[in-house]
Amino acid sequence: DVGAYTSITIGADGLGLISYRDQTNADLKVAHCDNTACTSARISTLDSDGDVGYDTSITIGADGLGLISYHDWSNTALKVAHCSDTACTSATTSTLDTNSAGYYTSITIGADGLGLISYNNDDEDLLVAHCSNTACTSATTSTLDSDGDVGWYTSITIGTDGRGLISYFGVTKENLKVAH
C-alpha cells in the first residue's frame, strides 16, 4: 500500500522526483525517475522513524537538491528532508515544529533561496516556517491566521514581489482564503 500524499517536481537533472508515503511501512519515500517519461524509478526510504510521510510536498532547493516537507504523525510534528544527492538516495531529516503541527504542508523556495513552508496545526491555524539555511535544519515559525478553523489544504508559491502567497481552506466559514 504505497503512493499516498504524493508530490512531484523536476530535479536539477531534468528527471522527475516524487515524494510519497509508504502506508504499509509508515515511511517517507522518494522515487527518482530513470527517464523523462518516468517508466521506471529508483526508490529510496528517507524517513522510517515512526509513523511518518503524511502530507508531503517537494521542491528543488537553491543547491539543486530536493527539499521535502511532511507530517510526522508519531510526534505530531512538521519535518523536512533535505536530499543528499540529485537522485535523493538519502536525506538529512529535521524537525521544525513540534507543537502538534505539520498538517497539509506545502513548500517552495523563497526569493532569498531558503525554503518556505505553509502548514496547519492542532489549534487549526495557518502557519509558515521560514528555513534558516539551505538544508532547512531549523526554521522560524509564524502564525498567519488563527481566525477559527483555518489552514487546511495549503498551497504556497512566491509572487512577483518576492513574497509568499498562500491559498488555503477555512473550515469555519467554508471559504477559500489567501495570505500574502
Side-chain angles (χ1 to χ4, degrees):
D1 185 5
V2 297
Y5 305 104
T6 69
S7 183
I8 189 168
T9 192
I10 302 299
D13 59 2
L15 300 174
L17 194 60
I18 306 164
S19 61
Y20 65 96
R21 176 176 157 76
D22 175 338
Q23 298 270 102
T24 301
N25 297 301
D27 296 339
L28 170 68
K29 289 192 173 181
V30 69
H32 177 258
C33 299
D34 292 326
N35 52 57
T36 55
C38 203
T39 57
S40 63
R42 180 177 181 171
I43 308 300
S44 300
T45 301
L46 301 183
D47 190 349
S48 58
D49 187 19
D51 190 3
V52 297
Y54 293 89
D55 301 327
T56 77
S57 183
I58 190 168
T59 192
I60 301 300
D63 59 3
L65 301 176
L67 191 62
I68 305 163
S69 60
Y70 60 102
H71 178 67
D72 174 344
W73 190 268
S74 295
N75 297 299
T76 58
L78 171 66
K79 290 183 81 173
V80 169
H82 179 253
C83 298
S84 301
D85 54 40
T86 305
C88 203
T89 57
S90 64
T92 301
T93 61
S94 302
T95 302
L96 301 181
D97 189 342
T98 57
N99 189 23
S100 299
Y103 306 101
Y104 310 116
T105 75
S106 182
I107 191 168
T108 192
I109 301 301
D112 60 1
L114 301 176
L116 191 62
I117 306 163
S118 59
Y119 62 101
N120 178 280
N121 65 6
D122 277 348
D123 291 333
E124 297 164 347
D125 299 330
L126 172 68
L127 295 98
V128 67
H130 181 235
C131 298
S132 302
N133 52 52
T134 306
C136 201
T137 57
S138 63
T140 303
T141 61
S142 303
T143 301
L144 301 183
D145 187 351
S146 58
D147 184 19
D149 186 353
V150 296
W152 289 47
Y153 314 115
T154 75
S155 184
I156 191 168
T157 192
I158 300 300
T160 57
D161 60 1
R163 295 183 179 171
L165 188 63
I166 305 165
S167 63
Y168 58 103
F169 178 63
V171 177
T172 302
K173 296 179 182 175
E174 297 179 343
N175 59 350
L176 171 67
K177 298 185 84 174
V178 175
H180 178 250

